[in-house]
Amino acid sequence: MKTGGDMKKIIFIFLLLPMFTIAQTPRQFLSTGKQLIDSAQYQQAVVCFSKAIAINPKYSDAYYLRAIAKKNTGDYEGAEADFAEVINLKPDELQGYYQRALIREIRHDYKGAAGDYTTIIGFNPDNVRTYMERARVDSTAALTISDYAKAKDIDPAQLYLSRARLDWNNKNYTSCIDDYNALIALDPRNIIAYANRGSAKWELKDYEGAVNDYKIAISFNGKYTWTYYNTIGLIREDEKDFKHAIAAFSKSISLYPAGPTHQNRALAELAIGDYNASIKDFTVAIDSQYHNRNNNFFFKAYGADSYVLRAKAEMLNGAFKAAIADLDIAISINPALILAYNARGEAKNKLGDDAGACADWQTANKMGCEPAKENLEKFCSKK
């Protein structure tokens, strides 16, 4: 028979069991924190990683991920401190130095960033990227020249490619072209070099030069040839050569019918007044996988616009009911589309729905649409 004291012990043990059951391990906090980062809930992620660190103060992965989360909240000082702890716990793992260098750049500590890159070079003296990064942040001209020279000695192709990307990011397209010229001299069949040089020429409005570079890339018959024809179409469209743009888009579609090129061709057809062809291409684009609601990124970025553009072609073709249906969908996807309300008002006006037209123009006017204001004054002021 259990004594009273024994029963108390048993009850106490059972009271503790739920606490042990619900206690999370550092690894579980880390996993939850990762999920929060993926969903852009950075403050909550910091809390999770902090709990993991409270249990295991030497958990380097938790410090690393907490630093990433802090960086995304703008807590650069806290992020740098966490990356420093990562380095302290694992001084041989270079990613901590790379990340701290980037944070130091954000904080305008260029000397500190250069110091981190110097440390990385000590571990890996043949890393072209690190010489490039140190050259970029160091204010000593002599060292910058020396770093570029060292990078060139190790791997000149990687030097030119890395520097061209940096030039592109800085919108220094002429220097970008120079680096791709040098890369092509080393590797005359580098498809990416021709395509990227073509894009740089396009930025400088050298349309023929851009198209020629993409044609060279096409001649190599690579995996993404259809994308190069699509880009040629965009270049031609930019210079208002819609006939050749449509030809290039059509070639792209023939190589990859499921691609997003139908919408580009539809825009060119709309520009030359071929409304039936434009509507047909917009319809193919809308029905394709790229406009599927399950494709969240593309659908959110382009889904509503596609319906608005098809509605424009339908209105120009006199199909006002179809245009209203498309604009209804566009507004349901993105209620902030000001011009969609104005366009729907114009379509309703054409069908004699004065009340509906004025209501849409009133909404658009409140959102700051000047054409809607003009339509209100013209059609609704006396109603």
Side-chain angles (χ1 to χ4, degrees), residues 270 278-279 282 286 304-328 330 340 343-344 347:
L270 182 61
S278 181
I279 292 167
F282 278 129
I286 287 169
D305 290 343
S306 299
Y307 287 102
V308 171
L309 290 167
R310 186 171 68 176
K312 180 179 179 180
E314 288 163 341
M315 288 177 67
L316 290 168
N317 210 34
F320 300 111
K321 288 184 178 179
I324 290 170
D326 274 342
L327 292 166
D328 287 343
R344 191 171 67 177

PDB file of all heavy atoms in Angstrom, residues 270 278-279 282 286 304-328 330 340 343-344 347:
ATOM      1  N   LEU A 270      -1.274  43.792 -80.895  1.00  0.00           N
ATOM      2  CA  LEU A 270      -2.140  44.891 -80.459  1.00  0.00           C
ATOM      3  C   LEU A 270      -1.619  46.222 -80.991  1.00  0.00           C
ATOM      4  O   LEU A 270      -2.400  47.084 -81.423  1.00  0.00           O
ATOM      5  CB  LEU A 270      -2.192  44.911 -78.932  1.00  0.00           C
ATOM      6  CG  LEU A 270      -3.083  45.968 -78.262  1.00  0.00           C
ATOM      7  CD1 LEU A 270      -4.535  45.796 -78.668  1.00  0.00           C
ATOM      8  CD2 LEU A 270      -2.945  45.878 -76.746  1.00  0.00           C
ATOM      9  N   SER A 278      -4.336  39.302 -81.535  1.00  0.00           N
ATOM     10  CA  SER A 278      -3.918  39.701 -80.193  1.00  0.00           C
ATOM     11  C   SER A 278      -4.781  39.029 -79.127  1.00  0.00           C
ATOM     12  O   SER A 278      -4.263  38.478 -78.138  1.00  0.00           O
ATOM     13  CB  SER A 278      -4.001  41.221 -80.060  1.00  0.00           C
ATOM     14  OG  SER A 278      -3.584  41.629 -78.774  1.00  0.00           O
ATOM     15  N   ILE A 279      -6.087  39.034 -79.320  1.00  0.00           N
ATOM     16  CA  ILE A 279      -7.004  38.409 -78.362  1.00  0.00           C
ATOM     17  C   ILE A 279      -6.709  36.911 -78.260  1.00  0.00           C
ATOM     18  O   ILE A 279      -6.681  36.335 -77.162  1.00  0.00           O
ATOM     19  CB  ILE A 279      -8.468  38.652 -78.771  1.00  0.00           C
ATOM     20  CG1 ILE A 279      -8.821  40.139 -78.625  1.00  0.00           C
ATOM     21  CG2 ILE A 279      -9.427  37.782 -77.953  1.00  0.00           C
ATOM     22  CD1 ILE A 279     -10.121  40.532 -79.287  1.00  0.00           C
ATOM     23  N   PHE A 282      -3.474  36.477 -76.251  1.00  0.00           N
ATOM     24  CA  PHE A 282      -3.714  36.749 -74.830  1.00  0.00           C
ATOM     25  C   PHE A 282      -4.463  35.581 -74.181  1.00  0.00           C
ATOM     26  O   PHE A 282      -4.187  35.217 -73.035  1.00  0.00           O
ATOM     27  CB  PHE A 282      -4.512  38.040 -74.639  1.00  0.00           C
ATOM     28  CG  PHE A 282      -3.682  39.290 -74.683  1.00  0.00           C
ATOM     29  CD1 PHE A 282      -4.029  40.349 -75.516  1.00  0.00           C
ATOM     30  CD2 PHE A 282      -2.552  39.426 -73.880  1.00  0.00           C
ATOM     31  CE1 PHE A 282      -3.263  41.508 -75.554  1.00  0.00           C
ATOM     32  CE2 PHE A 282      -1.783  40.585 -73.910  1.00  0.00           C
ATOM     33  CZ  PHE A 282      -2.142  41.625 -74.751  1.00  0.00           C
ATOM     34  N   ILE A 286      -3.211  33.443 -71.045  1.00  0.00           N
ATOM     35  CA  ILE A 286      -4.007  33.368 -69.815  1.00  0.00           C
ATOM     36  C   ILE A 286      -4.291  31.918 -69.437  1.00  0.00           C
ATOM     37  O   ILE A 286      -4.273  31.551 -68.252  1.00  0.00           O
ATOM     38  CB  ILE A 286      -5.316  34.156 -69.978  1.00  0.00           C
ATOM     39  CG1 ILE A 286      -5.013  35.665 -69.957  1.00  0.00           C
ATOM     40  CG2 ILE A 286      -6.331  33.796 -68.900  1.00  0.00           C
ATOM     41  CD1 ILE A 286      -6.177  36.542 -70.364  1.00  0.00           C
ATOM     42  N   ALA A 304      -3.405  39.728 -63.415  1.00  0.00           N
ATOM     43  CA  ALA A 304      -4.391  40.788 -63.591  1.00  0.00           C
ATOM     44  C   ALA A 304      -4.102  41.608 -64.838  1.00  0.00           C
ATOM     45  O   ALA A 304      -5.018  41.955 -65.598  1.00  0.00           O
ATOM     46  CB  ALA A 304      -4.411  41.684 -62.355  1.00  0.00           C
ATOM     47  N   ASP A 305      -2.830  41.918 -65.077  1.00  0.00           N
ATOM     48  CA  ASP A 305      -2.465  42.722 -66.243  1.00  0.00           C
ATOM     49  C   ASP A 305      -2.869  42.034 -67.544  1.00  0.00           C
ATOM     50  O   ASP A 305      -3.257  42.694 -68.513  1.00  0.00           O
ATOM     51  CB  ASP A 305      -0.960  42.990 -66.249  1.00  0.00           C
ATOM     52  CG  ASP A 305      -0.542  43.944 -65.149  1.00  0.00           C
ATOM     53  OD1 ASP A 305      -1.431  44.638 -64.609  1.00  0.00           O
ATOM     54  OD2 ASP A 305       0.646  44.006 -64.823  1.00  0.00           O
ATOM     55  N   SER A 306      -2.752  40.714 -67.578  1.00  0.00           N
ATOM     56  CA  SER A 306      -3.098  39.984 -68.801  1.00  0.00           C
ATOM     57  C   SER A 306      -4.573  40.170 -69.147  1.00  0.00           C
ATOM     58  O   SER A 306      -4.934  40.355 -70.314  1.00  0.00           O
ATOM     59  CB  SER A 306      -2.790  38.493 -68.625  1.00  0.00           C
ATOM     60  OG  SER A 306      -1.418  38.311 -68.368  1.00  0.00           O
ATOM     61  N   TYR A 307      -5.427  40.125 -68.137  1.00  0.00           N
ATOM     62  CA  TYR A 307      -6.865  40.334 -68.378  1.00  0.00           C
ATOM     63  C   TYR A 307      -7.148  41.768 -68.812  1.00  0.00           C
ATOM     64  O   TYR A 307      -7.987  42.017 -69.684  1.00  0.00           O
ATOM     65  CB  TYR A 307      -7.659  39.983 -67.124  1.00  0.00           C
ATOM     66  CG  TYR A 307      -7.734  38.502 -66.856  1.00  0.00           C
ATOM     67  CD1 TYR A 307      -6.926  37.915 -65.894  1.00  0.00           C
ATOM     68  CD2 TYR A 307      -8.604  37.686 -67.573  1.00  0.00           C
ATOM     69  CE1 TYR A 307      -6.988  36.541 -65.645  1.00  0.00           C
ATOM     70  CE2 TYR A 307      -8.674  36.322 -67.328  1.00  0.00           C
ATOM     71  CZ  TYR A 307      -7.860  35.754 -66.369  1.00  0.00           C
ATOM     72  OH  TYR A 307      -7.924  34.401 -66.142  1.00  0.00           O
ATOM     73  N   VAL A 308      -6.437  42.724 -68.218  1.00  0.00           N
ATOM     74  CA  VAL A 308      -6.621  44.127 -68.610  1.00  0.00           C
ATOM     75  C   VAL A 308      -6.202  44.324 -70.059  1.00  0.00           C
ATOM     76  O   VAL A 308      -6.889  45.008 -70.839  1.00  0.00           O
ATOM     77  CB  VAL A 308      -5.814  45.055 -67.677  1.00  0.00           C
ATOM     78  CG1 VAL A 308      -5.830  46.485 -68.212  1.00  0.00           C
ATOM     79  CG2 VAL A 308      -6.383  45.032 -66.274  1.00  0.00           C
ATOM     80  N   LEU A 309      -5.088  43.726 -70.446  1.00  0.00           N
ATOM     81  CA  LEU A 309      -4.591  43.886 -71.814  1.00  0.00           C
ATOM     82  C   LEU A 309      -5.517  43.219 -72.821  1.00  0.00           C
ATOM     83  O   LEU A 309      -5.785  43.767 -73.892  1.00  0.00           O
ATOM     84  CB  LEU A 309      -3.172  43.308 -71.920  1.00  0.00           C
ATOM     85  CG  LEU A 309      -2.094  44.108 -71.185  1.00  0.00           C
ATOM     86  CD1 LEU A 309      -0.807  43.303 -71.071  1.00  0.00           C
ATOM     87  CD2 LEU A 309      -1.830  45.438 -71.902  1.00  0.00           C
ATOM     88  N   ARG A 310      -6.030  42.034 -72.468  1.00  0.00           N
ATOM     89  CA  ARG A 310      -6.974  41.398 -73.396  1.00  0.00           C
ATOM     90  C   ARG A 310      -8.243  42.226 -73.491  1.00  0.00           C
ATOM     91  O   ARG A 310      -8.828  42.365 -74.582  1.00  0.00           O
ATOM     92  CB  ARG A 310      -7.291  39.971 -72.955  1.00  0.00           C
ATOM     93  CG  ARG A 310      -8.158  39.230 -73.976  1.00  0.00           C
ATOM     94  CD  ARG A 310      -8.301  37.750 -73.678  1.00  0.00           C
ATOM     95  NE  ARG A 310      -9.084  37.493 -72.472  1.00  0.00           N
ATOM     96  CZ  ARG A 310      -9.406  36.263 -72.043  1.00  0.00           C
ATOM     97  NH1 ARG A 310      -8.984  35.194 -72.715  1.00  0.00           N
ATOM     98  NH2 ARG A 310     -10.117  36.107 -70.946  1.00  0.00           N
ATOM     99  N   ALA A 311      -8.658  42.809 -72.369  1.00  0.00           N
ATOM    100  CA  ALA A 311      -9.844  43.670 -72.391  1.00  0.00           C
ATOM    101  C   ALA A 311      -9.631  44.867 -73.313  1.00  0.00           C
ATOM    102  O   ALA A 311     -10.554  45.291 -74.024  1.00  0.00           O
ATOM    103  CB  ALA A 311     -10.165  44.136 -70.977  1.00  0.00           C
ATOM    104  N   LYS A 312      -8.406  45.403 -73.305  1.00  0.00           N
ATOM    105  CA  LYS A 312      -8.108  46.534 -74.196  1.00  0.00           C
ATOM    106  C   LYS A 312      -8.277  46.131 -75.653  1.00  0.00           C
ATOM    107  O   LYS A 312      -8.891  46.865 -76.447  1.00  0.00           O
ATOM    108  CB  LYS A 312      -6.683  47.021 -73.948  1.00  0.00           C
ATOM    109  CG  LYS A 312      -6.276  48.187 -74.819  1.00  0.00           C
ATOM    110  CD  LYS A 312      -4.845  48.654 -74.499  1.00  0.00           C
ATOM    111  CE  LYS A 312      -4.444  49.826 -75.403  1.00  0.00           C
ATOM    112  NZ  LYS A 312      -3.056  50.277 -75.097  1.00  0.00           N
ATOM    113  N   ALA A 313      -7.740  44.934 -76.002  1.00  0.00           N
ATOM    114  CA  ALA A 313      -7.880  44.452 -77.381  1.00  0.00           C
ATOM    115  C   ALA A 313      -9.348  44.202 -77.716  1.00  0.00           C
ATOM    116  O   ALA A 313      -9.807  44.516 -78.829  1.00  0.00           O
ATOM    117  CB  ALA A 313      -7.062  43.177 -77.562  1.00  0.00           C
ATOM    118  N   GLU A 314     -10.097  43.672 -76.770  1.00  0.00           N
ATOM    119  CA  GLU A 314     -11.527  43.401 -76.995  1.00  0.00           C
ATOM    120  C   GLU A 314     -12.307  44.692 -77.190  1.00  0.00           C
ATOM    121  O   GLU A 314     -13.185  44.769 -78.074  1.00  0.00           O
ATOM    122  CB  GLU A 314     -12.081  42.604 -75.811  1.00  0.00           C
ATOM    123  CG  GLU A 314     -11.584  41.160 -75.781  1.00  0.00           C
ATOM    124  CD  GLU A 314     -11.765  40.487 -74.431  1.00  0.00           C
ATOM    125  OE1 GLU A 314     -11.936  41.203 -73.407  1.00  0.00           O
ATOM    126  OE2 GLU A 314     -11.709  39.239 -74.382  1.00  0.00           O
ATOM    127  N   MET A 315     -11.990  45.711 -76.424  1.00  0.00           N
ATOM    128  CA  MET A 315     -12.686  46.989 -76.578  1.00  0.00           C
ATOM    129  C   MET A 315     -12.386  47.611 -77.941  1.00  0.00           C
ATOM    130  O   MET A 315     -13.285  48.126 -78.620  1.00  0.00           O
ATOM    131  CB  MET A 315     -12.291  47.944 -75.458  1.00  0.00           C
ATOM    132  CG  MET A 315     -12.887  47.554 -74.100  1.00  0.00           C
ATOM    133  SD  MET A 315     -12.351  48.638 -72.758  1.00  0.00           S
ATOM    134  CE  MET A 315     -13.153  50.180 -73.222  1.00  0.00           C
ATOM    135  N   LEU A 316     -11.118  47.548 -78.348  1.00  0.00           N
ATOM    136  CA  LEU A 316     -10.752  48.078 -79.666  1.00  0.00           C
ATOM    137  C   LEU A 316     -11.406  47.280 -80.782  1.00  0.00           C
ATOM    138  O   LEU A 316     -11.604  47.785 -81.893  1.00  0.00           O
ATOM    139  CB  LEU A 316      -9.233  48.076 -79.823  1.00  0.00           C
ATOM    140  CG  LEU A 316      -8.484  49.095 -78.954  1.00  0.00           C
ATOM    141  CD1 LEU A 316      -6.991  48.814 -78.970  1.00  0.00           C
ATOM    142  CD2 LEU A 316      -8.769  50.521 -79.436  1.00  0.00           C
ATOM    143  N   ASN A 317     -11.756  46.030 -80.477  1.00  0.00           N
ATOM    144  CA  ASN A 317     -12.405  45.163 -81.464  1.00  0.00           C
ATOM    145  C   ASN A 317     -13.926  45.199 -81.339  1.00  0.00           C
ATOM    146  O   ASN A 317     -14.628  44.481 -82.038  1.00  0.00           O
ATOM    147  CB  ASN A 317     -11.905  43.719 -81.276  1.00  0.00           C
ATOM    148  CG  ASN A 317     -11.909  42.934 -82.560  1.00  0.00           C
ATOM    149  OD1 ASN A 317     -11.667  43.483 -83.637  1.00  0.00           O
ATOM    150  ND2 ASN A 317     -12.169  41.636 -82.469  1.00  0.00           N
ATOM    151  N   GLY A 318     -14.438  46.044 -80.419  1.00  0.00           N
ATOM    152  CA  GLY A 318     -15.880  46.201 -80.260  1.00  0.00           C
ATOM    153  C   GLY A 318     -16.547  45.163 -79.390  1.00  0.00           C
ATOM    154  O   GLY A 318     -17.778  45.121 -79.309  1.00  0.00           O
ATOM    155  N   ALA A 319     -15.770  44.312 -78.702  1.00  0.00           N
ATOM    156  CA  ALA A 319     -16.346  43.257 -77.857  1.00  0.00           C
ATOM    157  C   ALA A 319     -16.409  43.758 -76.416  1.00  0.00           C
ATOM    158  O   ALA A 319     -15.621  43.351 -75.554  1.00  0.00           O
ATOM    159  CB  ALA A 319     -15.516  41.986 -77.967  1.00  0.00           C
ATOM    160  N   PHE A 320     -17.362  44.628 -76.141  1.00  0.00           N
ATOM    161  CA  PHE A 320     -17.406  45.310 -74.837  1.00  0.00           C
ATOM    162  C   PHE A 320     -17.838  44.394 -73.694  1.00  0.00           C
ATOM    163  O   PHE A 320     -17.344  44.515 -72.574  1.00  0.00           O
ATOM    164  CB  PHE A 320     -18.321  46.534 -74.928  1.00  0.00           C
ATOM    165  CG  PHE A 320     -17.866  47.523 -75.953  1.00  0.00           C
ATOM    166  CD1 PHE A 320     -18.589  47.733 -77.118  1.00  0.00           C
ATOM    167  CD2 PHE A 320     -16.678  48.235 -75.768  1.00  0.00           C
ATOM    168  CE1 PHE A 320     -18.146  48.647 -78.077  1.00  0.00           C
ATOM    169  CE2 PHE A 320     -16.241  49.140 -76.720  1.00  0.00           C
ATOM    170  CZ  PHE A 320     -16.969  49.345 -77.874  1.00  0.00           C
ATOM    171  N   LYS A 321     -18.759  43.461 -73.957  1.00  0.00           N
ATOM    172  CA  LYS A 321     -19.171  42.534 -72.904  1.00  0.00           C
ATOM    173  C   LYS A 321     -18.005  41.649 -72.471  1.00  0.00           C
ATOM    174  O   LYS A 321     -17.803  41.391 -71.282  1.00  0.00           O
ATOM    175  CB  LYS A 321     -20.349  41.678 -73.382  1.00  0.00           C
ATOM    176  CG  LYS A 321     -21.662  42.431 -73.486  1.00  0.00           C
ATOM    177  CD  LYS A 321     -22.802  41.494 -73.865  1.00  0.00           C
ATOM    178  CE  LYS A 321     -24.125  42.252 -73.929  1.00  0.00           C
ATOM    179  NZ  LYS A 321     -25.255  41.351 -74.318  1.00  0.00           N
ATOM    180  N   ALA A 322     -17.252  41.163 -73.448  1.00  0.00           N
ATOM    181  CA  ALA A 322     -16.086  40.335 -73.132  1.00  0.00           C
ATOM    182  C   ALA A 322     -15.056  41.146 -72.348  1.00  0.00           C
ATOM    183  O   ALA A 322     -14.420  40.635 -71.410  1.00  0.00           O
ATOM    184  CB  ALA A 322     -15.462  39.793 -74.415  1.00  0.00           C
ATOM    185  N   ALA A 323     -14.907  42.410 -72.722  1.00  0.00           N
ATOM    186  CA  ALA A 323     -13.953  43.279 -72.025  1.00  0.00           C
ATOM    187  C   ALA A 323     -14.367  43.471 -70.568  1.00  0.00           C
ATOM    188  O   ALA A 323     -13.520  43.411 -69.661  1.00  0.00           O
ATOM    189  CB  ALA A 323     -13.861  44.631 -72.730  1.00  0.00           C
ATOM    190  N   ILE A 324     -15.654  43.686 -70.330  1.00  0.00           N
ATOM    191  CA  ILE A 324     -16.145  43.863 -68.955  1.00  0.00           C
ATOM    192  C   ILE A 324     -15.883  42.604 -68.131  1.00  0.00           C
ATOM    193  O   ILE A 324     -15.454  42.676 -66.971  1.00  0.00           O
ATOM    194  CB  ILE A 324     -17.641  44.218 -68.955  1.00  0.00           C
ATOM    195  CG1 ILE A 324     -17.839  45.637 -69.515  1.00  0.00           C
ATOM    196  CG2 ILE A 324     -18.238  44.098 -67.544  1.00  0.00           C
ATOM    197  CD1 ILE A 324     -19.289  45.998 -69.773  1.00  0.00           C
ATOM    198  N   ALA A 325     -16.113  41.432 -68.735  1.00  0.00           N
ATOM    199  CA  ALA A 325     -15.872  40.169 -68.025  1.00  0.00           C
ATOM    200  C   ALA A 325     -14.400  40.046 -67.629  1.00  0.00           C
ATOM    201  O   ALA A 325     -14.076  39.628 -66.507  1.00  0.00           O
ATOM    202  CB  ALA A 325     -16.291  38.993 -68.895  1.00  0.00           C
ATOM    203  N   ASP A 326     -13.502  40.431 -68.545  1.00  0.00           N
ATOM    204  CA  ASP A 326     -12.072  40.366 -68.233  1.00  0.00           C
ATOM    205  C   ASP A 326     -11.681  41.377 -67.155  1.00  0.00           C
ATOM    206  O   ASP A 326     -10.865  41.082 -66.277  1.00  0.00           O
ATOM    207  CB  ASP A 326     -11.246  40.619 -69.499  1.00  0.00           C
ATOM    208  CG  ASP A 326     -11.010  39.345 -70.299  1.00  0.00           C
ATOM    209  OD1 ASP A 326     -11.168  38.256 -69.726  1.00  0.00           O
ATOM    210  OD2 ASP A 326     -10.656  39.443 -71.481  1.00  0.00           O
ATOM    211  N   LEU A 327     -12.253  42.551 -67.227  1.00  0.00           N
ATOM    212  CA  LEU A 327     -11.928  43.577 -66.230  1.00  0.00           C
ATOM    213  C   LEU A 327     -12.484  43.206 -64.859  1.00  0.00           C
ATOM    214  O   LEU A 327     -11.882  43.528 -63.829  1.00  0.00           O
ATOM    215  CB  LEU A 327     -12.457  44.934 -66.694  1.00  0.00           C
ATOM    216  CG  LEU A 327     -11.722  45.496 -67.921  1.00  0.00           C
ATOM    217  CD1 LEU A 327     -12.499  46.641 -68.539  1.00  0.00           C
ATOM    218  CD2 LEU A 327     -10.308  45.937 -67.561  1.00  0.00           C
ATOM    219  N   ASP A 328     -13.618  42.506 -64.836  1.00  0.00           N
ATOM    220  CA  ASP A 328     -14.151  41.992 -63.558  1.00  0.00           C
ATOM    221  C   ASP A 328     -13.128  41.064 -62.902  1.00  0.00           C
ATOM    222  O   ASP A 328     -12.865  41.141 -61.698  1.00  0.00           O
ATOM    223  CB  ASP A 328     -15.454  41.229 -63.780  1.00  0.00           C
ATOM    224  CG  ASP A 328     -16.637  42.138 -64.091  1.00  0.00           C
ATOM    225  OD1 ASP A 328     -16.535  43.353 -63.830  1.00  0.00           O
ATOM    226  OD2 ASP A 328     -17.654  41.624 -64.612  1.00  0.00           O
ATOM    227  N   ALA A 330      -9.858  40.917 -63.540  1.00  0.00           N
ATOM    228  CA  ALA A 330      -8.654  41.673 -63.184  1.00  0.00           C
ATOM    229  C   ALA A 330      -8.822  42.372 -61.844  1.00  0.00           C
ATOM    230  O   ALA A 330      -7.929  42.349 -60.992  1.00  0.00           O
ATOM    231  CB  ALA A 330      -8.321  42.686 -64.278  1.00  0.00           C
ATOM    232  N   ALA A 340      -8.185  49.771 -64.501  1.00  0.00           N
ATOM    233  CA  ALA A 340      -9.186  48.747 -64.820  1.00  0.00           C
ATOM    234  C   ALA A 340     -10.596  49.275 -64.554  1.00  0.00           C
ATOM    235  O   ALA A 340     -11.531  48.999 -65.318  1.00  0.00           O
ATOM    236  CB  ALA A 340      -8.924  47.494 -64.002  1.00  0.00           C
ATOM    237  N   ALA A 343     -11.384  51.703 -67.395  1.00  0.00           N
ATOM    238  CA  ALA A 343     -11.655  50.991 -68.646  1.00  0.00           C
ATOM    239  C   ALA A 343     -13.012  50.297 -68.589  1.00  0.00           C
ATOM    240  O   ALA A 343     -13.779  50.305 -69.572  1.00  0.00           O
ATOM    241  CB  ALA A 343     -10.551  49.970 -68.908  1.00  0.00           C
ATOM    242  N   ARG A 344     -13.337  49.720 -67.442  1.00  0.00           N
ATOM    243  CA  ARG A 344     -14.641  49.058 -67.327  1.00  0.00           C
ATOM    244  C   ARG A 344     -15.775  50.067 -67.432  1.00  0.00           C
ATOM    245  O   ARG A 344     -16.818  49.786 -68.042  1.00  0.00           O
ATOM    246  CB  ARG A 344     -14.722  48.283 -66.006  1.00  0.00           C
ATOM    247  CG  ARG A 344     -15.934  47.359 -65.917  1.00  0.00           C
ATOM    248  CD  ARG A 344     -15.873  46.443 -64.702  1.00  0.00           C
ATOM    249  NE  ARG A 344     -15.986  47.190 -63.444  1.00  0.00           N
ATOM    250  CZ  ARG A 344     -16.010  46.621 -62.240  1.00  0.00           C
ATOM    251  NH1 ARG A 344     -15.918  45.305 -62.127  1.00  0.00           N
ATOM    252  NH2 ARG A 344     -16.113  47.352 -61.138  1.00  0.00           N
ATOM    253  N   ALA A 347     -16.239  50.706 -71.101  1.00  0.00           N
ATOM    254  CA  ALA A 347     -16.943  49.604 -71.763  1.00  0.00           C
ATOM    255  C   ALA A 347     -18.438  49.640 -71.425  1.00  0.00           C
ATOM    256  O   ALA A 347     -19.300  49.441 -72.303  1.00  0.00           O
ATOM    257  CB  ALA A 347     -16.334  48.272 -71.345  1.00  0.00           C
TER     258      ALA A 347
END
